[in-house]
């Protein structure tokens, strides 16, 4: 091997050590974020599932409405409906924003 190849091999080895050190450093930085990001992924997966199955969402909202209607009357049901509508609008706006 000539000296140029030896220099390149040495430089390559140094860069690999540097890369490994940087990866360990990034892993240490990312460790505290692992659980919150995992939970956020689960929430997004649930929202995507509900979006694919609107009948399930309507059924759950209906059941919740009936339970609340029995307990709090029609006023309680209208508050629930308004909150559900607001949540739907917020989630749909968020989904449109994420697509673009």
């Amino acid at each position: 091997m000539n000296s140029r190849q030896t220099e390149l091999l040495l430089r390559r080895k140094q860069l690999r050590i540097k890369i490994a050190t940087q990866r360990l450093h990034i892993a240490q930085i990312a460790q505290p974020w692992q659980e919150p990001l995992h939970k956020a992924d689960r929430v997004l997966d649930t929202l995507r599932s509900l979006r694919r199955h609107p009948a399930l969402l309507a059924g759950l909202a209906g059941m919740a409405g009936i339970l609340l209607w029995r307990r709090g009357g029609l006023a309680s049901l209208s508050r629930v409906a308004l909150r559900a509508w607001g949540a739907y609008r917020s989630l749909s706006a968020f989904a449109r924003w994420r697509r673009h």
Side-chain angles (χ1 to χ4, degrees):
M1 257 195 272
N2 62 29
S3 65
R4 175 77 175 140
Q5 287 177 334
T6 306
E7 289 174 19
L8 287 175
L9 287 175
L10 179 60
R11 178 71 177 141
R12 183 178 181 194
K13 189 173 189 175
Q14 291 170 344
L15 288 174
R16 285 186 175 203
I17 292 170
K18 185 177 181 179
I19 289 169
T21 304
Q22 290 174 344
R23 282 185 180 153
L24 287 174
H25 184 65
I26 289 172
Q28 290 171 348
I29 292 171
Q31 182 67 32
W33 289 96
Q34 188 173 8
E35 184 64 27
L37 290 175
H38 179 68
K39 288 179 182 179
D41 283 341
R42 288 189 353 219
V43 168
L44 288 174
D45 288 342
T46 302
L47 292 175
R48 287 184 191 115
S49 296
L50 289 174
R51 188 172 174 205
R52 284 190 298 265
H53 304 288
L56 176 63
L57 182 61
L60 290 173
M63 287 173 45
I66 289 171
L67 290 174
L68 289 174
W69 183 47
R70 288 183 182 173
R71 291 187 184 156
L74 193 56
S76 177
L77 181 60
S78 65
R79 285 193 306 271
V80 170
L82 285 174
R83 286 182 183 162
W85 177 249
Y88 169 76
R89 290 186 66 205
S90 297
L91 291 174
S92 63
F94 177 72
R96 282 193 304 273
W97 176 77
R98 290 279 295 168
R99 276 187 251 142
H100 295 300

